[in-house]
Amino acid sequence: MRFSCATILFFASAAFAIPFSNSSLPTSFPVQNQPTHPKPLVRCANELSLDQIQAAIAQYKSVPTPSELFRPASLIQEAAGIPVYFHVIAMNQTEDAGWVPLEQIQAQMEVLNSDDAPVGVQYNLVKVNYVINPDWFISAGPSMPQQDQMKAALREGGADSLNIYTVSFQDPAITGLLGYSTFPWDYAGNPQDDGVVVLFSSLPGGSTENYNLGRTVTHEVGHWLGLFHPFQGGCDGDGDLVDDTPAEASPAEGCPVSRDTCSSPGVDPVHNFMDYSYDSCMSGFTPGQIDRAQSQIRSFRQIAI
Ligand SMILES: *[C@@H]1O[C@H](CO)[C@@H](O)[C@H](O)[C@H]1NC(C)=O
Ligand SMILES: *[C@@H]1O[C@H](CO)[C@@H](O)[C@H](O)[C@H]1NC(C)=O
Ligand SMILES: [Zn+2]
């Protein structure tokens, strides 16, 4: 096993003092298995407007050249491994209620390290943090106050540290979501918000059919590295700011090989990690995406690559 693990710390629920009031314990959202999800699954919440893309480009152009941002030479070796803090939020200590077995987290790290090896980054799991908090488990999600509370209490490390949270997205406002992430250029303005949040049952061996090989984390970490969806902007314009991902009118579902939604050259990149296909359909990043990810994390995450 290539899994490298410095220290795994377990925080038993009783020992981990996360304040949540007894009265706020939700009773009206029973944990359900995936097939009974009332809404279809949505792979990702990272939809951006053209204005947001333009702002990101402007921000990228305004940062100092990468060499000015490199860490001192003595720290470069350490920076080659991205520290990962894995926060498992659960209802109680059963797997259906979010208590993801450690083996699934180790398998997830192997998938991520294998998928991202061509990018030239390696991820080192430094902590697994088990937290019982029904409110966060059910309602932490984009623009939800529970997400802010969760990240404020749990996030660790600096710009180069990857914090991954597993939750259930069961609140009606966010039901069916598989995951979402912050972007590298968001870090400076809101460091506490930085990180990736995914559906707990999307990890390898989890119960979410077609999305349980660990590619939800790969996709969301793709955003964390600075990548957009290949269908960003549809058939027109600069799309995902990468030249070698063919334009795509809309997200792919399932594995529609030879789908071709734009008149520009190339079939839709349905095998790309940044599309919305099934986990089994996804197989890689393009060289252009790898270049972009490297320059983004060099500039915004102080990762020497
Ligand atoms: C928590 O709520 C339950 C149900 O309302 C109640 O029976 C119990 O006494 C409460 N526990 C505490 C510590 O307040
Ligand atoms: C864990 O939580 C689930 C969902 O609320 C519940 O169905 C189950 O009975 C709980 N299990 C234990 C051991 O508390
Ligand atoms: Zn996405």
Side-chain angles (χ1 to χ4, degrees):
M1 204 182 334
R2 228 158 34 82
F3 167 61
S4 91
C5 163
T7 338
I8 304 225
L9 302 177
F10 289 93
F11 290 84
S13 53
F16 199 88
I18 296 298
F20 59 93
S21 78
N22 189 30
S23 60
S24 73
L25 282 180
T27 51
S28 55
F29 304 112
V31 169
Q32 297 172 337
N33 285 327
Q34 216 51 51
T36 55
H37 251 296
K39 286 193 213 164
L41 290 173
V42 181
R43 186 169 265 292
C44 185
N46 283 45
E47 308 288 352
L48 292 174
S49 68
L50 198 54
D51 283 352
Q52 287 170 309
I53 296 270
Q54 294 304 339
I57 295 171
Q59 213 169 348
Y60 178 57
K61 284 181 176 158
S62 74
V63 299
T65 64
S67 61
E68 295 172 78
L69 287 164
F70 274 171
R71 292 170 158 217
S74 60
L75 288 177
I76 283 180
Q77 203 181 346
E78 178 202 304
I82 294 174
V84 176
Y85 298 89
F86 218 109
H87 309 282
V88 177
I89 317 299
M91 195 91 162
N92 59 41
Q93 293 188 17
T94 61
E95 191 175 333
D96 280 351
W99 198 264
V100 179
L102 188 58
E103 297 71 40
Q104 281 187 22
I105 293 167
Q106 292 169 331
Q108 180 65 72
M109 293 306 300
E110 290 188 5
V111 168
L112 181 61
N113 271 324
S114 160
D115 285 350
D116 282 11
V119 182
V121 289
Q122 282 291 293
Y123 303 89
N124 298 324
L125 186 61
V126 295
K127 185 190 243 185
V128 179
N129 197 7
Y130 283 90
V131 178
I132 298 279
N133 189 318
D135 194 24
W136 297 348
F137 180 62
I138 288 166
S139 300
S143 307
M144 301 291 274
Q146 289 87 349
Q147 145 187 267
D148 299 334
Q149 293 160 13
M150 173 181 80
K151 289 176 169 178
L154 301 180
R155 193 189 184 281
E156 292 193 47
D160 67 343
S161 299
L162 174 60
N163 282 254
I164 300 177
Y165 307 82
T166 59
V167 298
S168 73
F169 299 127
Q170 277 181 291
D171 190 294
I174 49 177
T175 306
L177 191 58
L178 284 173
Y180 66 103
S181 174
T182 56
F183 290 104
W185 51 89
D186 295 330
Y187 182 82
N190 193 356
Q192 204 60 39
D193 190 45
D194 187 65
V196 161
V197 186
V198 296
L199 180 65
F200 74 97
S201 49
S202 74
L203 267 53
S207 61
T208 304
E209 212 181 330
N210 298 318
Y211 304 97
N212 58 0
L213 300 178
R215 259 55 196 261
T216 295
V217 165
T218 300
H219 175 106
E220 298 307 334
V221 172
H223 291 308
W224 188 83
L225 298 173
L227 300 179
F228 296 119
H229 298 135
F231 51 84
Q232 179 70 47
C235 295
D236 307 318
D238 291 333
D240 59 359
L241 308 180
V242 170
D243 288 339
D244 57 4
T245 49
E248 190 179 30
S250 60
E253 269 185 66
C255 195
V257 290
S258 73
R259 180 182 187 252
D260 193 2
T261 51
C262 296
S263 58
S264 51
V267 295
D268 292 356
V270 302
H271 298 303
N272 197 277
F273 289 142
M274 299 315 290
D275 207 339
Y276 276 14
S277 322
Y278 287 163
D279 278 15
S280 58
C281 187
M282 293 183 162
S283 58
F285 295 114
T286 64
Q289 286 176 313
I290 291 170
D291 282 351
R292 177 174 166 81
Q294 290 181 340
S295 67
Q296 293 293 318
I297 60 177
R298 223 178 259 143
S299 297
F300 294 114
R301 297 203 176 281
Q302 302 179 19
I303 292 169
I305 187 166

